[in-house]
């Protein structure tokens, strides 16, 4: 998650200075064809913009989150009492849509629009997971995470249909229920074990986090494409939507793609083979794995078809699912020969499930996001932006000092990991505080 602090200090909402006790989070969609968050940040950071102010925008081009208000600051995001209790976050929308009236729009490039919506959805999951942890919120609790549309139905927001209108019209599988479950999974809570599953202790373990999964891939293949890493959270969100362990489906993907041990082979998006199950030439293109997201969903649904007696909640991606004897397999044997004696569906051989479980155990054993490697200190960095914020500690959760570095060369005496910076945080020799090393070049 890339979080950039861009507080709207000139907006009348910010200058009003009112605080709230955070009781929930509200998800919005901007309602216009503008994927760039910086456009909103620039336009809204004005003393004359007294119509709205939100806590954050999520950029549709790269998923960057721009924090526009302190999290406990009262925002103007929902037009009703929800401003007194909820943090409001806006997801930017694709440039290729055109509103024709109300919440209805046309789309000139559906694939591009879906990619933008997926990017903002995934970033919102990570952000809301962080905020739920920060404010000790249960994402599945009543009224804790709501959309603007749901807020209206609860009487705490004005009459809007976002963001569900965007997902529905773009043909995406997202709902607020899938979103809440994905946030829970991203916090490490995961989904409950599917009914009918037995025979393994692994189901009682915590669900692997997206960072643990990414760390595992990078350890197997240091040159793995960033596009592959960006897809990882989809396993958790799709698994949460179906009520099964998305990390188990991910482990199967690792096995099917050579455990990600080779670069430039099947683990590529352009070959439609992200999950090791890609199909492009046998008549199924357009019906199953012609996008990585559908491949991941198929992987998750395939697991559920064997491991649960409950019906699939989304569209059945692969017609071969109809041959699966549902709910007849223990997880440690699923997709093996024992539960498929008549050769229907996939029969992959005895021990296949155990191999997947071994991979999952290795993923769960990783430490997750690797902390920045200890740097030899002191060292100097060059800062080329005038507004690099100085904080009292290493992380965006530390208080801002109200000071900025300005452009120049600075000496770093200590490096620590912390939220908001992939490269870590550096302590300034001057004693002024800490800066995010993402915005500084080591010299």
């Amino acid at each position: 998650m890339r979080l950039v602090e861009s507080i709207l200090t000139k907006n009348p909402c910010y200058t009003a200075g009112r605080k709230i006790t955070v009781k929930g989070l509200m998800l919005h969609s901007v309602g216009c064809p503008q994927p760039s968050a910086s456009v909103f940040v620039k336009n809204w950071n004005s003393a004359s913009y007294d119509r709205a102010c939100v806590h954050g925008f999520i950029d549709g081009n790269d998923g960057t989150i721009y924090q526009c208000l302190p999290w406990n600051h009262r925002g103007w995001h929902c037009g009703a009492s929800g401003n007194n209790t909820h943090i409001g976050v806006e997801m930017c929308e694709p440039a290729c849509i055109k509103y024709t009236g109300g919440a209805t729009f046309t789309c000139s490039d559906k694939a591009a629009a879906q990619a933008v919506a997926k990017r903002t959805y995934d970033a919102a999951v990570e952000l809301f997971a962080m905020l739920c942890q920060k404010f000790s919120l249960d994402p599945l609790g009543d009224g804790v995470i709501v959309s603007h549309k749901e807020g209206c139905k609860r009487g705490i927001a004005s009459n809007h249909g976002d963001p569900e209108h965007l997902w529905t019209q773009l043909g995406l599988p997202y709902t607020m229920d899938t979103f809440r479950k994905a946030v829970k999974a991203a916090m490490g809570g995961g989904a409950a074990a599917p009914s009918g599953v037995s025979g393994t202790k692994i189901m009682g373990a915590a669900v692997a986090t997206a960072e643990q999964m990414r760390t595992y891939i990078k350890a197997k293949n240091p040159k793995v494409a960033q596009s592959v890493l960006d897809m990882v959270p989809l396993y958790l969100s799709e698994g949460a939507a179906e009520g099964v362990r998305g990390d188990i489906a991910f482990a199967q993907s690792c096995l099917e793609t050579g455990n990600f041990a080779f670069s430039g082979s099947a683990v590529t998006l352009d070959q439609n083979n992200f999950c090791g199950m890609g199909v492009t030439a046998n008549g199924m293109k357009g019906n199953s794995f012609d996008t990585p997201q559908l491949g991941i969903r198929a992987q998750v649904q395939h697991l559920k078809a064997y491991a649960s007696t409950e019906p699939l909640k989304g569209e059945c991606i692969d017609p071969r699912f109809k041959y699966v004897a549902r709910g007849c397999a223990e997880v440690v044997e699923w997709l093996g020969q024992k539960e498929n004696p008549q050769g229907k569906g996939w029969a992959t051989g005895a021990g296949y499930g155990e191999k997947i479980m071994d991979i999952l155990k290795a993923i769960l054993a990783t430490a997750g996001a690797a902390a920045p490697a200890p740097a030899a200190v002191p060292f100097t960095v060059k800062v080329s932006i005038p507004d690099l914020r100085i904080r009292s500690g290493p992380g965006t959760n530390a208080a801002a000092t109200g000071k900025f570095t300005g452009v120049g060369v600075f000496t770093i005496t200590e490096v620590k990991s912390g939220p908001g910076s992939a490269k870590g945080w550096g302590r300034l020799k001057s004693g002024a505080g800490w800066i995010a090393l993402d915005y500084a070049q080591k010299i």
Side-chain angles (χ1 to χ4, degrees), residues 185-370:
M187 294 173 66
S195 60
V197 173
S198 60
T200 175
K201 294 180 180 179
I202 198 71
M203 294 304 296
V207 175
T209 65
E211 288 304 326
Q212 284 178 311
M213 291 149 69
R214 289 191 184 107
T215 299
Y216 180 83
I217 295 176
K218 288 187 284 188
K220 290 293 181 181
N221 177 15
K223 296 182 179 180
V224 65
Q226 182 61 42
S227 55
V228 172
L229 298 175
D230 290 342
M231 288 290 170
V232 167
L234 281 174
Y235 283 94
L236 299 178
S237 58
E238 291 291 344
E242 287 291 352
V244 297
R245 290 280 297 264
D247 55 347
I248 296 180
F250 171 80
Q252 185 196 12
S253 291
C254 292
L255 180 61
E256 289 293 327
T257 53
N259 216 354
F260 289 108
F262 41 88
S263 55
S265 61
V267 194
T268 58
L269 301 185
D270 58 352
Q271 294 180 36
N272 300 316
N273 205 1
F274 176 70
C275 298
M277 298 166 64
V279 180
T280 60
N282 68 350
M284 291 182 65
K285 182 173 175 59
N287 192 35
S288 74
F289 311 127
D290 57 327
T291 68
Q293 181 175 333
L294 293 185
I296 291 170
R297 190 181 312 156
Q299 199 90 320
V300 169
Q301 290 191 333
H302 196 202
L303 165 61
K304 185 171 182 177
Y306 277 89
S308 174
T309 57
E310 296 179 0
L312 300 175
K313 296 179 181 178
E315 179 186 358
C316 195
I317 301 302
D318 193 311
R320 286 175 287 185
F321 287 152
K322 65 184 179 181
Y323 297 113
V324 173
R326 301 179 61 79
C328 58
E330 292 184 349
V331 171
V332 294
E333 297 175 351
W334 62 279
L335 297 184
Q337 292 178 334
K338 292 182 180 180
E339 71 271 26
N340 191 20
Q342 298 179 357
K344 296 180 180 180
W346 287 284
T348 54
Y352 185 73
E354 285 87 342
K355 294 177 183 178
I356 293 171
M357 290 301 134
D358 286 342
I359 292 174
L360 179 59
K361 291 174 184 176
I363 294 168
L364 289 168
T366 65

Side-chain angles (χ1 to χ4, degrees), residues 371-412:
V377 290
F379 60 89
T380 56
V381 295
K382 180 180 179 180
V383 176
S384 301
I385 59 176
D387 56 352
L388 179 56
R389 189 178 298 276
I390 301 174
R391 291 189 171 275
S392 60
T396 51
N397 55 352
T401 64
K403 299 179 180 179
F404 303 88
T405 62
V407 176
V409 176
F410 304 88
T411 300
I412 302 299

Side-chain angles (χ1 to χ4, degrees), residues 49-222:
Y49 198 90
D50 58 0
R51 300 182 295 282
C53 193
V54 297
H55 294 84
F57 286 98
I58 302 178
D59 190 273
N61 295 315
D62 61 11
T64 297
I65 300 163
Y66 291 80
Q67 182 184 354
C68 300
L69 287 174
W71 299 123
N72 66 341
H73 200 105
R74 184 181 185 273
W76 297 343
H77 60 88
C78 68
S81 62
N83 288 330
N84 300 323
T85 54
H86 284 61
I87 290 171
V89 176
E90 295 270 5
M91 298 183 294
C92 291
E93 297 186 12
C96 54
I97 65 174
K98 181 180 180 180
Y99 279 90
T100 57
T104 304
F105 59 82
T106 58
C107 180
S108 60
D109 189 339
K110 188 173 183 179
Q114 287 178 330
V116 170
K118 185 203 80 66
R119 195 173 295 124
T120 56
Y121 179 94
D122 292 343
V125 167
E126 290 194 80
L127 173 62
F128 277 43
M130 182 272 285
L131 291 173
C132 282
Q133 290 172 329
K134 180 178 179 64
F135 292 101
S136 301
L137 303 175
D138 176 7
L140 302 182
D142 181 50
V144 173
I145 293 180
V146 295
S147 67
H148 196 151
K149 180 179 180 180
E150 290 176 327
C152 177
K153 291 182 178 180
R154 301 178 75 92
I156 63 171
S158 57
N159 186 17
H160 282 238
D162 58 302
E164 292 95 328
H165 79 292
L166 184 70
W167 302 333
T168 299
Q169 293 176 69
L170 290 179
L172 291 168
Y174 306 142
T175 66
M176 286 306 296
D177 282 338
T178 71
F179 181 78
R180 284 182 280 263
K181 291 177 181 177
V183 172
K184 182 70 171 180
M187 294 173 66
S195 60
V197 173
S198 60
T200 175
K201 294 180 180 179
I202 198 71
M203 294 304 296
V207 175
T209 65
E211 288 304 326
Q212 284 178 311
M213 291 149 69
R214 289 191 184 107
T215 299
Y216 180 83
I217 295 176
K218 288 187 284 188
K220 290 293 181 181
N221 177 15

